[in-house]
């Protein structure tokens, strides 16, 4: 089973993603609404993929991307945002983003397909 961490300050999104992605038993999903707590856990425990919102208070998804890539450069990271800005996409790509997803999600199956593809499932 692959381990996935989801970080988002919107609890409804965490709940929907956790229930949807866990339903087939292929992914072990942990959710965090606080980026600081998520980073502490990331330093202590390996995850196969990180799915993070870009726009969060205090620590952004881009900050998480930079931090994780500094100590686990091969980590698979997908960033999500409701604000599609080409500048943010460019910055994310510079630091090694694997995929980018726009919110609101048009189709949760597409989100799942991107995750499965990156994880080789």
């Amino acid at each position: 089973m692959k381990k996935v961490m989801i970080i988002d300050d919107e609890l409804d999104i965490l709940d929907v993603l956790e229930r949807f992605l866990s339903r087939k038993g292929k992914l072990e999903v942990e959710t965090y609404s606080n980026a600081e707590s998520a980073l502490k856990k990331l330093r202590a425990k390996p995850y196969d993929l990180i799915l993070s919102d870009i726009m969060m208070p205090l620590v952004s998804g881009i900050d998480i991307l930079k931090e994780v890539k500094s100590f686990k450069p091969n980590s698979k990271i997908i960033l999500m945002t409701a604000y599609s800005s080409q500048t943010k996409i460019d910055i994310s790509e510079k630091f090694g983003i694997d995929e980018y997803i726009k919110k609101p999600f048009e189709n949760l199956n597409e989100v799942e397909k991107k995750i499965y593809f990156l994880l080789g499932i």
Side-chain angles (χ1 to χ4, degrees):
M1 187 177 305
K2 300 286 186 173
K3 294 181 183 175
V4 175
M5 175 184 280
I6 304 173
I7 311 162
D8 199 311
D9 57 325
E10 295 180 52
L11 298 179
D12 290 343
I13 288 176
L14 289 176
D15 182 53
V16 167
L17 285 171
E18 180 178 25
R19 284 187 290 118
F20 187 82
L21 295 173
S22 298
R23 78 194 191 293
K24 292 182 181 176
K26 294 181 181 183
L27 302 174
E28 179 183 323
V29 179
E30 289 184 22
T31 61
Y32 292 83
S33 60
N34 176 299
E36 294 87 356
S37 297
L39 280 170
K40 284 180 189 173
K41 193 70 165 187
L42 282 165
R43 288 185 194 103
K45 181 178 173 184
Y47 289 85
D48 297 297
L49 184 135
I50 300 148
L51 179 62
S52 177
D53 188 21
I54 289 180
M55 298 295 290
M56 295 182 287
L58 304 177
V59 178
S60 75
I62 294 172
D63 294 332
I64 291 169
L65 170 66
K66 290 179 195 177
E67 177 79 14
V68 170
K69 289 292 186 172
S70 74
F71 63 87
K72 293 184 183 173
N74 295 326
S75 297
K76 300 289 184 202
I77 300 178
I78 298 174
L79 292 182
M80 318 176 274
T81 189
Y83 308 99
S84 69
S85 158
Q86 189 59 45
T87 304
K88 287 181 183 157
I89 294 169
D90 292 344
I91 289 170
S92 301
E93 288 174 350
K94 175 183 172 186
F95 290 104
I97 187 176
D98 292 286
E99 188 61 67
Y100 180 79
I101 297 173
K102 292 180 186 174
K103 294 190 304 185
F105 310 116
E106 291 179 21
N107 183 334
L108 284 174
N109 288 314
E110 290 301 315
V111 173
E112 184 177 60
K113 281 181 190 176
K114 288 180 181 192
I115 291 170
Y116 282 11
F117 176 76
L118 287 174
L119 294 175
I121 297 175

